[in-house]
Amino acid sequence: TFWSSTQTPHLLRLALALSTGIPEHKIRVISPEVGGGFGQKMASYPEEHIVAALSIRLGRPVKWIEQRRENLMAASHAKEQDITLEAAVQNDGTVLGLKARVIGDSGAYSFNHASAVIEPLLAATLMPSVYSIRNYQCEVVAVLTNKTPVGTYRAVGWTAGHTARELFFDEIARELGIDPADFRRRNMIASDQFPYTSCTGMVYDSGTYREALERALEIVGYPELRRRQAELRRQGRYIGIGISPYVEPTAVGTEIALQVGITLPSHDNATVTIDPTGKVRVAVSVHSHGQGHETTLAQVAADILGVNLEDIVVEHGDTETCPWGMGTFASRSAVIGGGSVALAAQAVREKVLRVAGRLLEAAPEDLDIQESTVFVKGAPDRSIPLSQVALAAYLNPQLRAEGEEPLLSATRFYDPKPTYSNGCIVTVGEVDVETGQVSLQRIVAVEDCGTMLNPMLVEGQVTGAIAQGIGGALYEQLIYDERGQLLTSTLMDYALPTASKVPELVVEHLESPSPVTVGGMKGIGEGGLLATPASVAAAVLDALAPFEPRIEHLPLTPERVLQIVQRKD
C-alpha cells in the first residue's frame, strides 16, 4: 500500500509495478486530498520508487517527507523558455505571417510523461492562438542543462509562448500607431468561422473570441480608461492597460493531445452504482485535490438519475475502489470525468426505468425520475420511490428479463473529441517610475468554458490561475549562482504574490457549449495562468510607453522596471 501526493494514482501504480516487479493487482495507491498539484504531481519521482524499494527490502513501512527547500531545488521546474519572434505585417495591422524560434530549458534528463520537449513544443503549436494567421514557421529546441528536469505546470508551455506573442503584438501596434485592441480585432478569428482549423492543425470546435474581447473592454471601461491615462500622464502618473485574449486547449484526450503536439493516450472511466437502498456511489479515476469534484461530478449524476445531492458519494484517489484511468491534469476532469459519469449514469438510469416500468406497468420511455421518485409522465400519482425500485432490482428475480443483470451499476469510459475554451483578461496597473514598483488596480477576466457545471467553482479556477499568473509576471524566478547553486530555495527568497498583491478581480462568463463533448462542457483550469502574465506585463509596458519600453525577461521586478525608465533617460 503506497500513500502519495499524486495527481495520477493509477499511473503511479503502473510505474511502481514496473520498477518493483510486483504485479499491479498487489499494489494499492492511495492519494488523499492533499492540496494543489498544478502538474508537478503528475509524474512519478525517483524518490517514490526508492521508498517502495526500501519498504520491500526492509519488510516494514517507510515514510519520506519532502521539505520545502528540497521541493524548490529538486522537484520539476517549468516555464523557462527563450523565444524569438518575427512577423510580416501590413500597414493596416494585418498579420501576414509569423515565425518563431522556441528554446526550452529541459533540465538534466527527461522524466515526465510528455518528454523534455514539452515546454517549447506546446508553446510553438499554440503560437497562432486566437488569430487568423495562415503562414507560420517554427523551430523547436529543447536544451539539456544541469538543472532539475522540466515538468508540467499549469498551462505548460503555452504561458511563455502566449506572453511572448502578445507582448510582440503590442510592440507592433505601437510602432504602427494602432490601438492594441484594434490590432487584435483586425486579426482575430470570428465566431462564424467555427469549427476553425489553425495553421498548426488545432481544430477549435466553438468559441467567443471577439465577444470575450469586447465584453472585457466594456467592463473595464476602455475608452474612458484611455482618456484617464492621458490625463494622468500629464500629472506625472503612469497607468497602463494590458489586453490578453486567449484560447485554451482543454480536456486532454487522445486526439487533442496529438493536436497540441504530444502522443498521450488519454481517457478515463467512471462507475455509477445505485445500491439496494437507493443511494448512489460514483467512483471515478480522475483525482480531486481541491477542484470540487465531489460537488460537480455529483451534480452530473444527480441531474441524470433524478436524486438529491446528499444521496450521492463521490470516491476518488484509491486504486482499490476506483476504476482505472489517467488521473487529473490538463483541464480534463470536468469534461472527461464528467462525461464518463454522465455516460455511466445514463446507463444506470435506463436500467432503473426498465425495472420501474414493470412495477408500474408502463413503458420505460413514459417514465421520469425526480427527487428519488419514479413516476409516469403526466400522471405523478402513479409513482414509486427509487429505493423500492432498487430493492426490487436486486432481490426480485421475477422483474428481470432473461439475461438481464440485477445490479444497478455501470462503468463507462470517455475519450472526447478536442475542445477549446477561450477568454480575455484585461489588467489595469500603475507604475511608480521613481521606485519601479508596480501596483495592480483591477483585473477583468471574461471566460467561456462552454456549459458550466458550477459557476462558483469555475470562478475559483479562474481566480487561482490569475493569482499564479501575477506571480509569473512580477515576482517568481529561480536564480542560480555561477556554480549552479539555487539561491531562491526558501519562500523568503522565492517571491510569491500575497493576497495584498492581488487586485480587485471581476470574472464574467460567456457560454458557447461545445458541439463535440458530452453536455457541451469545456475545461477551465489553465486559461487564467496562460493569459495573465501577458496581460499584467502588457499593462506595465503600456504604462511606460513614453519611455519606449523593450523587455527581454520576466518577471518585471522593480529593478527591471527602473532599467526601462533609466534607459530612456
Side-chain angles (χ1 to χ4, degrees), residues 150-210:
V150 69
T152 52
Y153 173 37
R154 199 176 199 170
V156 56
W158 302 323
T159 303
H162 178 94
T163 304
R165 183 199 60 252
E166 291 301 301
L167 297 183
F168 182 44
F169 279 4
D170 278 350
E171 285 186 15
I172 295 171
R174 277 195 293 270
E175 188 169 321
L176 293 175
I178 300 173
D179 182 272
D182 286 337
F183 183 89
R184 287 165 173 81
R185 289 186 184 104
R186 297 177 192 186
N187 291 286
M188 194 172 284
I189 299 164
S191 294
D192 60 5
Q193 294 179 268
F194 294 111
Y196 179 91
T197 302
S198 76
C199 60
T200 58
M202 294 183 174
V203 182
Y204 303 151
D205 52 316
S206 61
T208 50
Y209 299 179
R210 295 189 182 184

Side-chain angles (χ1 to χ4, degrees), residues 13-153:
R13 184 179 68 171
L14 173 59
L16 290 171
L18 293 174
S19 68
T20 64
I22 299 175
E24 265 200 87
H25 68 272
K26 290 188 176 181
I27 299 176
R28 179 184 185 185
V29 172
I30 301 173
S31 179
E33 294 183 80
V34 291
F38 307 112
Q40 195 182 71
K41 301 175 184 178
M42 184 177 162
S44 64
Y45 282 83
E47 291 84 352
E48 291 174 302
H49 297 271
I50 292 171
V51 165
L54 287 172
S55 181
I56 294 168
R57 180 163 184 174
L58 298 175
R60 61 184 298 174
V62 172
K63 184 175 184 178
W64 176 67
I65 301 174
E66 182 183 60
Q67 301 299 317
R68 174 71 67 191
R69 183 169 181 271
E70 292 171 325
N71 180 269
L72 284 166
M73 292 182 67
S76 63
H77 291 173
K79 301 195 183 301
E80 184 168 5
Q81 295 185 39
D82 187 307
I83 299 175
T84 303
L85 296 176
E86 299 177 54
V89 185
Q90 293 184 160
N91 288 334
D92 67 356
T94 302
V95 179
L96 300 177
L98 187 63
K99 186 176 181 180
R101 187 168 193 260
V102 187
I103 303 173
D105 186 337
S106 298
Y109 57 91
S110 177
F111 89 121
N112 68 80
H113 300 302
S115 91
V117 78
I118 185 170
E119 278 274 343
L121 180 61
L122 296 193
T125 54
L126 193 62
M127 191 65 73
S129 188
V130 299
Y131 303 105
S132 183
I133 298 172
R134 306 315 304 172
N135 302 296
Y136 174 58
Q137 182 185 75
C138 64
E139 179 185 2
V140 174
V141 181
V143 179
L144 293 175
T145 70
N146 62 351
K147 299 176 184 176
T148 189
V150 69
T152 52
Y153 173 37

